[in-house]
Amino acid sequence: MVLEHLESLPIVWTPKPEAFSASPLGRMAARHGLADIDAVTRRATADPAWYWRVGSEDVGIRWSTLYDEVVDSSAGIAHTRFFRGGQLNWADYTVDRWVDEGRGDADAIRWEGEDGSRRTVSYSALKDEIDRTAGALRALGVGIGDTVGLVIPMVPESVSAILAVVKIGAVIVPMFSGYAAPAIRERMEQSGARYLITADGSFRRGKTIPLKETVDAAIADLNVEAVIVLRRTGVETPMKAGRDVWWHDVVPSADPVRDAVPMRAEDPCYLMFTSGSTGRPKGAVHTHGGWPLKVAMETRHGLGIDETQTLLWVTDMGWIMGGVVITAALSNGGTAALFEGTPDWPRPDRLWEVTANLGVTVLGISPTAIRALSRHGDEHPARHDLSRLCALASTGEPWNLEPWMWCFEVVGGGRLPIVNISGGTEVGGSLLVGSTLLPQKPMAFNGPPLGVLSDIVDDDGVSVRSEVGELVVRGPWPGMSSSLWNDDARYTEAYWTRFPGLWHQGDFGYVDADGYWYLLGRSDDTMNIAGKRVGPAEIESAAGVHPAVVESAAVSVPDDLKGEALVVFAVLTPGADHEEASAEIVRLIRAHLGPTVTPKAIHIVPELPKTRNGKILRRVARAVYLGADLGDLTALENPSALDTLPTSAIDHGPQPPNP
């Protein structure tokens, strides 16, 4: 959305008057004598430690040893410890406690496969599967502090595997199931993992993907002691004697581990690597008393997740949102909905069908996925009963107005809030959120989550409003990476040096006069066109006003006159006139951003390079155009897009690496 239009955006959704008192946050507030959400926000902002304490109590976190202190920053803000002295286990407070409290028959997981097959797993059944998987891992030699890789499709066993590793005090290392062998190898090497859980294959768009073959190529000469292989597709699978074992041979017969190992709150449980650009992927370290606890609190209080809710997010277990689904749904006693495959295959209404079939009440999806699904027409969501939905949620990238309104009006029928969430692999949870309890403007966030001191600042670190600035955080929060795996210096350099004493997220943000927050894209994506600093989201929103533009990607290229010039790649609706659309896109960008930002070129392409969860890889499009190093392509979902992107006919000379 063009900046000057943000201030004029109206409120389009308002919660019912009784919403707060009926919500999990409202019930917690009443216990502490706080009358409304504003009172809770003021208290949490003034005393974040108070919120972490009462919030964790509200979630019902079970401690084997109660903590001595909520926040300990004696080693410096970047190395703050939370719940010092406390012992707990993510698997215990996520699953075991519900069985102990008599809710073993409640649905923990509902799943639908690409072929339409479905399974429902109760908390009792999930606990038994976790316990036996933990027993199998122990029998194979996995112990406290060991790292265990995971490359597996979105099936119920993915949840069992993650929590089984955690239950015995080991550290899970989830990896995207679409990674090529070099990406898996890099993460196995960096993490030092000697164990791996995978599957024979996976299903995607009607094809069988031989997952185990990729894993074998990745670890061929690594010191991996054991690989557990789940039979998912039945594809012929090579098994290495003395190393590889079938899930069905070792898990059902294993001696179950009934009780979780008590771990210190600051002990690692979850090691999630970023996808990287040209540098090595960063391994974000998350702890038993950090990331999962933070996610459980913020989704309970922002999205209303409790034992009555069923949460589905379009993701992969190798991305951070896969772990979010587990901890948001199960730590709050609700149901985690999983589906295998893609939202629009074998039919354009697949996601809406699965949402109805699984009884989803909160649906999370990316703006890019909505752009793609909206192309198929308004009739597809209308074919399915979406009446059980209470909220929609989004993450991954900034919105532009048209797809946001389509999601709000067509998918949600104008009755549901779209709760924006923005965090990151390293953040653990969110730095900005929406809320089901506050009025909503299109594309906006209501502000920081409770207890998180996010801010928008200028280049000197001074707070700004109604102007573009950098997103930072002015204090520590549970969930932030405790460090990067075996690379504390890189952790400090990446997040704590740009603004000393502040966490620097690398996103541009904006707060309007009414206090609504917006993200405008990565600050390292920002272009300087003839001296005017502009983000790709502004340009792409202007281009998206044209009805034939499905989506676009704006990048800068070297220019002798302007220093940087603008190039736009656009995907059009079928049958659109390319010449007419290109001319109109130029006109719209000039009209919204001024003549200095006139594109040097508009290129109509059939598709843009994306990750599986829908993020457009602008840096890759730019690199193809300039003939530069493509960098890390491990997250690329559609390599075919690279063959359709144009290459500049101009020799720009040697190019710097991608940021």
Side-chain angles (χ1 to χ4, degrees):
M1 189 69 181
V2 180
L3 285 179
E4 52 262 36
H5 293 170
L6 290 179
E7 296 286 354
S8 63
L9 288 173
I11 290 172
V12 296
W13 181 87
T14 302
K16 295 179 180 179
E18 65 273 16
F20 179 73
S21 61
S23 71
L25 182 60
R27 296 192 294 269
M28 186 192 85
R31 292 193 295 272
H32 294 276
L34 300 171
D36 54 32
I37 193 169
D38 290 337
V40 179
T41 301
R42 287 193 298 270
R43 180 72 188 273
T45 301
D47 186 1
W50 168 84
Y51 174 69
W52 305 129
R53 176 176 62 81
V54 300
S56 63
E57 291 168 357
D58 187 53
V59 171
I61 300 300
R62 185 160 72 173
W63 298 88
S64 52
T65 301
L66 190 62
Y67 53 86
D68 299 317
E69 186 178 12
V70 176
V71 181
D72 175 10
S73 294
S74 59
I77 186 174
H79 297 92
T80 298
R81 293 194 301 168
F82 292 90
F83 304 105
R84 182 178 57 79
Q87 290 188 317
L88 74 171
N89 189 292
W90 177 25
D92 177 72
Y93 66 77
T94 297
V95 174
D96 291 12
R97 71 178 173 110
W98 299 113
V99 178
D100 294 344
E101 292 175 15
R103 297 191 63 246
D105 292 338
D107 291 353
I109 297 172
R110 296 188 199 127
W111 170 83
E112 183 167 318
E114 185 170 86
D115 59 358
S117 57
R118 294 179 209 157
R119 289 165 57 191
T120 299
V121 183
S122 70
Y123 273 94
S124 288
L126 178 59
K127 174 173 165 48
D128 186 66
E129 182 89 347
I130 291 168
D131 293 352
R132 293 185 185 280
T133 307
L137 289 165
R138 261 193 186 165
L140 290 169
V142 180
I144 293 174
D146 286 335
T147 47
V148 180
L150 180 79
V151 186
I152 198 168
M154 287 293 279
V155 291
E157 289 84 357
S158 64
V159 180
S160 305
I162 288 174
L163 294 179
V165 170
V166 169
K167 188 163 195 169
I168 58 176
V171 180
I172 191 71
V173 187
M175 289 170 273
F176 174 42
S177 63
Y179 274 150
I184 296 172
R185 179 188 176 87
E186 172 76 23
R187 287 153 177 79
M188 291 290 289
E189 280 190 302
Q190 275 207 53
S191 66
R194 295 179 293 118
Y195 306 90
L196 181 67
I197 302 172
T198 189
D200 58 353
S202 61
F203 296 116
R204 186 165 177 82
R205 293 192 174 274
K207 298 179 181 179
T208 301
I209 312 299
L211 195 57
K212 176 62 162 50
E213 289 184 11
T214 302
V215 166
D216 283 344
I219 65 174
D221 58 349
L222 298 183
N223 181 27
V224 175
E225 296 184 16
V227 178
I228 299 179
V229 185
L230 176 73
R231 189 183 296 281
R232 169 65 189 125
T233 64
V235 67
E236 185 175 346
T237 303
M239 299 288 282
K240 182 177 180 180
R243 186 195 70 181
D244 300 347
V245 294
W246 286 106
W247 179 289
H248 59 262
D249 285 338
V250 297
V251 170
S253 59
D255 185 19
V257 178
R258 300 297 186 195
D259 298 319
V261 175
M263 302 297 291
R264 296 180 304 169
E266 64 265 29
D267 284 335
C269 64
Y270 193 83
L271 175 56
M272 175 61 73
F273 283 89
T274 62
S275 57
S277 54
T278 56
R280 299 185 78 195
K282 299 190 294 286
V285 181
H286 294 300
T287 62
H288 285 266
W291 167 77
L293 185 151
K294 164 72 160 56
V295 168
M297 278 191 277
E298 73 174 46
T299 53
R300 183 175 183 85
H301 296 153
L303 278 168
I305 303 293
D306 62 11
E307 66 275 6
T308 68
Q309 303 296 314
T310 298
L311 173 64
L312 170 66
W313 215 288
V314 181
T315 188
D316 183 274
M317 207 53 78
W319 300 131
I320 194 71
M321 293 311 298
V324 166
V325 170
I326 294 174
T327 197
L330 302 185
S331 295
N332 285 304
T335 303
L338 309 178
F339 90 108
E340 176 188 52
T342 56
D344 60 352
W345 195 93
R347 297 171 302 278
D349 62 345
R350 169 102 198 283
L351 178 61
W352 318 123
E353 180 182 47
V354 170
T355 298
N357 289 344
L358 301 184
V360 173
T361 60
V362 178
L363 172 63
I365 194 168
S366 71
T368 294
I370 287 294
R371 293 183 194 109
L373 291 170
S374 66
R375 296 171 61 182
H376 297 298
D378 298 359
E379 67 273 16
H380 295 293
R383 288 177 180 163
H384 302 281
D385 180 9
L386 304 180
S387 61
R388 281 173 287 190
L389 281 175
C390 302
L392 300 164
S394 76
T395 192
E397 61 181 320
W399 283 96
N400 50 340
L401 184 59
E402 290 73 20
W404 193 98
M405 293 304 301
W406 185 87
C407 186
F408 177 70
E409 294 172 348
V410 176
V411 180
R415 68 179 182 87
L416 304 177
I418 300 178
V419 178
N420 257 3
I421 296 172
S422 183
T425 300
E426 305 92 324
V427 169
S430 303
L431 299 185
L432 292 178
V433 294
S435 173
T436 59
L437 304 174
L438 291 168
Q440 299 292 313
K441 285 187 177 183
M443 309 181 295
F445 301 85
N446 290 107
L450 293 169
V452 178
L453 306 180
S454 301
D455 198 4
I456 304 296
V457 301
D458 63 17
D459 289 342
D460 296 319
V462 178
S463 296
V464 295
R465 296 296 182 263
S466 294
E467 65 178 84
V468 176
E470 294 271 2
L471 176 63
V472 300
V473 190
R474 293 190 175 277
W477 68 98
M480 72 182 197
S481 299
S482 61
S483 186
L484 295 178
W485 191 256
N486 294 329
D487 201 348
D488 193 65
R490 189 180 182 194
Y491 165 72
T492 305
E493 173 66 25
Y495 305 110
W496 296 100
T497 57
R498 172 69 176 83
F499 299 98
L502 306 182
W503 173 286
H504 175 225
Q505 181 64 2
D507 286 321
F508 274 136
Y510 181 90
V511 184
D512 72 12
D514 296 323
Y516 286 84
W517 296 54
Y518 301 85
L519 285 182
L520 306 175
R522 297 290 297 170
S523 54
D524 53 16
D525 279 342
T526 302
M527 297 167 275
N528 192 329
I529 310 296
K532 182 173 183 178
R533 195 167 71 168
V534 60
E538 294 181 77
I539 296 164
E540 293 158 10
S541 290
V545 173
H546 192 294
V549 174
V550 175
E551 57 189 359
S552 62
V555 303
S556 65
V557 300
D559 183 81
D560 291 339
L561 180 62
K562 295 183 176 181
E564 291 183 47
L566 173 64
V567 172
V568 177
F569 307 98
V571 178
L572 304 182
T573 54
D577 184 289
H578 289 199
E579 186 174 345
E580 182 278 331
S582 296
E584 183 63 8
I585 291 169
V586 171
R587 188 194 68 78
L588 287 167
I589 292 172
R590 285 176 57 93
H592 283 85
L593 295 163
T596 59
V597 191
T598 300
K600 182 172 187 173
I602 305 291
H603 294 286
I604 308 302
V605 296
E607 59 180 334
L608 296 170
K610 295 179 184 178
T611 65
R612 182 177 288 189
N613 59 343
K615 290 184 180 180
I616 295 172
L617 294 170
R618 296 180 186 88
R619 66 168 182 83
V620 173
R622 180 182 186 273
V624 170
Y625 188 75
L626 296 177
D629 175 19
L630 297 183
D632 182 3
L633 297 179
T634 54
L636 181 64
E637 158 74 357
N638 54 337
S640 59
L642 304 185
D643 298 327
T644 66
L645 289 169
T647 301
S648 170
I650 302 172
D651 181 7
H652 296 287
Q655 296 301 310
N658 283 299

